[in-house]
Amino acid sequence: MPEPRALTADECAPVVRAIAEPIRLRIISTLRHGPLAVFELTERLGIKQYQASRHLAALFELGLVTRARQGKRVVYALSDAVRNEPNSAPSVELGCCRFSVE
C-alpha cells in the first residue's frame, strides 16, 4: 500500500475530532474483522440503529469507511485510509499522526 501523503493541520483536525468519539473508535475496531451491515454493528456494539447510522455517515464522509449496497443491506468496511495489518490493532494514518485502535 502506498504511503499516505502528509496532511495539513486543517485537513487533519476534522479526522481527529471524528475519531475522538468512543462509538466511532469501537466501530473502527469492530470492522477490522471484516465488513458488516448496520444491523450487525448495532448488535455487536449494543447501540441503536440511528446511532450507528449517524456515526457511520461521519466516518464515511471522512473516508475512513466504505459502504456498498447488498440487496436491502448497506455493508460497511474499513477504507484504505485505515491500515488493518494482520495480528495488530487497526491504525488510522493521518499523515501528521497515527492512531491505533484496540
Side-chain angles (χ1 to χ4, degrees):
M1 171 185 312
E3 287 296 315
R5 70 175 180 79
L7 299 180
T8 66
D10 289 340
E11 293 169 320
C12 194
V15 177
V16 171
R17 278 193 299 273
I19 62 176
E21 178 68 41
I23 291 176
R24 293 179 188 160
L25 289 173
R26 291 174 55 209
I27 288 170
I28 290 170
S29 183
T30 301
L31 289 176
R32 74 186 281 210
H33 303 291
L36 294 170
V38 175
F39 79 90
E40 294 169 313
L41 279 166
T42 61
E43 288 176 354
R44 291 185 187 193
L45 298 176
I47 60 176
K48 305 267 189 230
Q49 187 273 333
Y50 75 89
Q51 291 174 305
S53 294
R54 180 173 54 101
H55 291 296
L56 286 163
L59 293 171
F60 177 78
E61 186 177 313
L62 290 166
L64 300 177
V65 299
T66 62
R67 63 182 172 207
R69 184 163 291 283
Q70 293 181 354
K72 293 183 180 183
R73 302 179 334 154
V74 176
V75 176
Y76 287 84
L78 296 178
S79 74
D80 291 341
V82 180
R83 294 193 178 182
N84 191 19
E85 302 295 330
N87 302 318
S88 67
S91 62
V92 180
E93 177 63 59
L94 302 178
C96 58
C97 57
R98 178 184 296 182
F99 290 93
S100 293
V101 183
E102 301 258 346

